[in-house]
Amino acid sequence: MNCENFSVSEKIVSSSYIRQGAQARRTHEQLIRLLLEKGKCPEDGWDESTIELFLSELAVMDSNNFLGNCGVGEREGRVASSLVARRHYRLIHGIGRSGDIAAVQPKAAGSSLLNKLTNAVVLDILKAAGVRTVSSCFVVPMATGMSLTLCFLTLRHRRPKAKYILWPRIDQKSCFKSMITAGFEPVIVESLLEGDELRTDLQTVESKIKELGPENIVCVHSTTSCFAPRVPDRLVELAQMCAKYDIPHIVNNAYGVQSSKCMHLIQQGARVGRIDAFVQSLDKNFMVPVGGAIIAGFNESFIQEISRMYPGRASASPSLDVLITLLSLGTNGYKQLLKERKEMYTYLAEELKKLAEAHGERLLETSHNPISLAMSLGDLEKHNTKAVTQLGSMLFTRQVSGARVVPLGTKQTVSGYTFQGFMSHTNEYPCPYLNAASAIGITRQDVDLCIKRLDKCLKTFKREKVDQSNRLESEYGNPATASEEDVSELAERFQEEACLGLKKL
């Protein structure tokens, strides 16, 4: 409805009613105008009717929605299912062109505008989350691992003779495979154990730079968000080292946007040293479906170079999802979610500590990790070597998702590289442990249910321990007089029976 149509409508319905309706529409249009003018996330979230009006207005600007359009090309935005068309708000052309994911499409002005606005809104949110001097970013329809690969491939053109990537170890397959997929050779730097925490070994990183030669190193690939007891890398020191030796620095900030500490590390690293790009997941930070990431940096020309490296057009779904989400939340709504997450981290740590102490375990001291926590399982392992892995299965069957149980001595081969103690970020961590994370969107109810179900599982193992002691006494009299072979045989039988019991559950 435009002014002319409103005027004509006054001949059909009372002009006072029409003017009231026109005023209501102008309220929606004012919000859209402010978004277009400022290119920033609104402070307060929009209602769904405003968002749907905006998306509808964008869709009618694409050629596949033109009335009377005659398409004779191989890609004309045709969709066989009306359900699929509605799912995408009829924005079918995707984003970018064959040579550049950020380019404008002549026959898809609406989708192109969506792409530009999404990148602008996301940039504003990254600044609000703590990286104030970030200058450019773009949403790419790939998850974090492939987005890191895109960054590494871009560096290949800048450093054609380099073949090594220095990588402080973190046991997560996708970030490791991102380097292999790009065709480079990872140089794994083991972490230092400081108290309970696993921290960056800066001395080894620098010695590797000198050993290999700065000109032969593609980049340093560091990490912020990670599973405890691994903590974020010493980003500031690494950034200074990269500036000193003129080596690019790519940061895996997978779910770090939700953490002010992770974002502060990136900001400080860029201020005193060198950070070329940092990559973060859309689903982990903004609660949207899996499939997108943000590549951001402090040098606009380099970020544009990465975007031009992407071959072909791209799906607009991740951009559409995150734009809808941020318009719904607004800056204030997103900041409130970050505040609640931080509060839940404190609550989860308190509850996990109480539970650990009640079962003869302890909450590991990992204060440098702002998202993930770890509880030891050393006492559990003492009376039943299979109990640690059984605990993971028990939690999963009781609908506790996301908790990671990490046993000792796991060996894993990833793309031809063998990791000892895989999942624990080091060859030999002192004890097995359980991870839990306070990620964005977590609620008090999530924490309470997790603690309750974990407590019940641990009590099950305690009962088994008592039963085993009673069985030993009934079969051999005084347990102290039983031979080691008798005790070992009974323990094996008891474990087999326990496993059968778990399967029945």
Side-chain angles (χ1 to χ4, degrees), residues 198-358:
L198 290 165
R199 307 209 66 190
T200 317
D201 186 347
L202 295 170
Q203 187 176 346
T204 299
V205 172
E206 187 160 24
S207 68
K208 287 292 183 183
I209 291 174
K210 293 176 180 177
E211 176 189 331
L212 299 170
E215 70 282 358
N216 295 315
I217 297 170
V218 180
C219 66
V220 171
H221 177 193
S222 62
T223 304
T224 54
S225 54
C226 51
F227 296 118
R230 176 70 153 79
V231 300
D233 279 317
R234 289 185 161 102
L235 224 61
V236 174
E237 293 86 344
L238 286 174
Q240 290 173 322
M241 203 178 294
C242 288
K244 176 182 175 181
Y245 292 100
D246 192 26
I247 297 172
H249 185 187
I250 305 296
V251 180
N252 175 11
N253 189 44
Y255 47 99
V257 179
Q258 61 192 280
S259 163
S260 58
K261 183 175 287 188
C262 290
M263 297 300 270
H264 176 73
L265 285 173
I266 293 171
Q267 176 63 44
Q268 288 299 101
R271 186 179 66 83
V272 302
R274 177 172 180 173
I275 292 179
D276 295 73
F278 58 103
V279 180
Q280 37 273 308
S281 164
L282 284 183
D283 61 283
K284 292 175 181 175
N285 292 293
F286 300 102
M287 296 189 290
V288 295
V290 172
I294 303 163
I295 299 176
F298 304 89
N299 184 318
E300 190 170 351
S301 65
F302 180 61
I303 300 304
Q304 288 176 353
E305 193 178 334
I306 297 173
S307 74
R308 287 193 291 271
M309 181 62 63
Y310 187 98
R313 288 175 174 80
S315 169
S317 291
S319 296
L320 181 60
D321 290 340
V322 74
L323 181 62
I324 290 172
T325 300
L326 291 176
L327 291 178
S328 299
L329 290 171
T331 304
N332 292 336
Y334 188 67
K335 285 182 176 178
Q336 180 61 28
L337 285 174
L338 300 186
K339 179 175 176 287
E340 291 170 1
R341 185 211 68 79
K342 192 176 287 188
E343 291 170 352
M344 284 299 102
Y345 174 84
T346 302
Y347 180 62
L348 176 61
E350 290 171 352
E351 294 301 303
L352 209 53
K353 185 177 182 180
K354 289 179 196 172
L355 180 69
E357 290 172 352

Side-chain angles (χ1 to χ4, degrees), residues 163-182:
K163 67 175 184 177
Y164 302 107
I165 296 180
L166 295 187
W167 180 65
R169 177 177 169 179
I170 171 173
D171 288 353
Q172 204 272 341
K173 291 181 183 178
S174 63
C175 61
F176 183 75
K177 292 174 75 173
S178 69
M179 299 179 284
I180 301 294
T181 302

Side-chain angles (χ1 to χ4, degrees), residues 259-501:
S259 163
S260 58
K261 183 175 287 188
C262 290
M263 297 300 270
H264 176 73
L265 285 173
I266 293 171
Q267 176 63 44
Q268 288 299 101
R271 186 179 66 83
V272 302
R274 177 172 180 173
I275 292 179
D276 295 73
F278 58 103
V279 180
Q280 37 273 308
S281 164
L282 284 183
D283 61 283
K284 292 175 181 175
N285 292 293
F286 300 102
M287 296 189 290
V288 295
V290 172
I294 303 163
I295 299 176
F298 304 89
N299 184 318
E300 190 170 351
S301 65
F302 180 61
I303 300 304
Q304 288 176 353
E305 193 178 334
I306 297 173
S307 74
R308 287 193 291 271
M309 181 62 63
Y310 187 98
R313 288 175 174 80
S315 169
S317 291
S319 296
L320 181 60
D321 290 340
V322 74
L323 181 62
I324 290 172
T325 300
L326 291 176
L327 291 178
S328 299
L329 290 171
T331 304
N332 292 336
Y334 188 67
K335 285 182 176 178
Q336 180 61 28
L337 285 174
L338 300 186
K339 179 175 176 287
E340 291 170 1
R341 185 211 68 79
K342 192 176 287 188
E343 291 170 352
M344 284 299 102
Y345 174 84
T346 302
Y347 180 62
L348 176 61
E350 290 171 352
E351 294 301 303
L352 209 53
K353 185 177 182 180
K354 289 179 196 172
L355 180 69
E357 290 172 352
H359 290 277
E361 303 290 356
R362 66 188 185 89
L363 182 68
L364 301 182
E365 294 289 337
T366 56
S367 59
H368 288 96
N369 193 317
I371 299 173
S372 178
L373 295 160
M375 184 185 95
S376 71
L377 296 175
D379 190 65
L380 178 65
E381 188 188 43
K382 283 179 186 176
H383 83 272
N384 186 340
T385 54
K386 296 181 181 178
V388 174
T389 51
Q390 287 173 6
L391 177 61
S393 302
M394 291 173 73
L395 289 171
F396 184 75
T397 57
R398 286 157 178 76
Q399 299 182 359
V400 177
S401 61
R404 294 170 74 248
V405 173
V406 182
L408 295 178
T410 303
K411 185 188 290 187
Q412 178 81 48
T413 299
V414 182
S415 300
Y417 290 75
T418 299
F419 293 85
Q420 300 289 341
F422 189 75
M423 293 191 357
S424 65
H425 318 288
T426 187
N427 291 335
E428 294 182 1
Y429 194 73
C431 66
Y433 58 86
L434 175 141
N435 278 132
S438 175
I440 190 169
I442 190 173
T443 65
R444 195 179 186 91
Q445 184 183 26
D446 290 329
V447 174
D448 290 341
L449 279 173
C450 171
I451 296 297
K452 181 181 177 181
R453 291 170 184 174
L454 177 56
D455 184 43
K456 288 182 74 173
C457 291
L458 292 173
K459 284 178 178 175
T460 299
F461 287 112
K462 269 191 175 179
R463 285 195 298 271
E464 289 175 5
K465 185 177 181 180
V466 173
D467 290 345
Q468 185 175 346
S469 178
N470 293 338
R471 286 267 296 275
L472 187 64
E473 186 173 355
S474 66
E475 292 197 25
Y476 300 102
N478 183 359
T481 63
S483 67
E484 288 187 13
E485 289 182 3
D486 292 335
V487 173
S488 178
E489 181 186 348
L490 183 61
E492 286 181 12
R493 278 164 43 200
F494 198 84
Q495 283 187 11
E496 289 173 4
E497 291 170 10
C499 289
L500 288 172

Side-chain angles (χ1 to χ4, degrees), residues 13-131:
V13 176
S14 170
S15 60
S16 62
Y17 298 155
I18 294 297
R19 283 196 295 272
Q20 187 180 34
Q23 180 60 42
R25 182 182 173 87
R26 278 195 293 273
T27 303
H28 295 290
E29 291 174 341
Q30 176 72 2
L31 294 173
I32 295 171
R33 184 177 66 81
L34 287 173
L35 174 64
L36 294 171
E37 285 180 352
K38 296 184 177 181
K40 293 183 177 181
C41 186
E43 287 191 11
D44 299 312
W46 291 4
D47 64 292
E48 288 187 6
S49 60
T50 303
I51 296 172
E52 289 182 333
L53 172 65
F54 176 52
L55 295 177
S56 177
E57 295 283 348
L58 291 178
V60 296
M61 296 168 66
D62 284 2
S63 63
N64 61 293
N65 299 313
F66 291 174
L67 295 177
N69 182 64
C70 175
V72 292
E74 84 289 354
R75 181 188 285 117
E76 295 296 335
R78 301 183 182 103
V79 177
S81 168
S82 60
L83 184 62
V84 171
R86 291 198 304 275
R87 174 181 175 244
H88 293 275
Y89 286 90
R90 295 179 292 117
L91 293 159
I92 309 302
H93 280 284
I95 58 175
R97 301 185 73 180
S98 59
D100 186 353
I101 195 176
V104 171
Q105 295 185 66
K107 59 183 177 183
S111 293
S112 299
L113 186 56
L114 167 78
N115 189 26
K116 297 287 186 182
L117 283 173
T118 300
N119 292 341
V121 168
V122 167
L123 182 66
D124 185 48
I125 286 294
L126 291 180
K127 291 179 178 180
V131 186

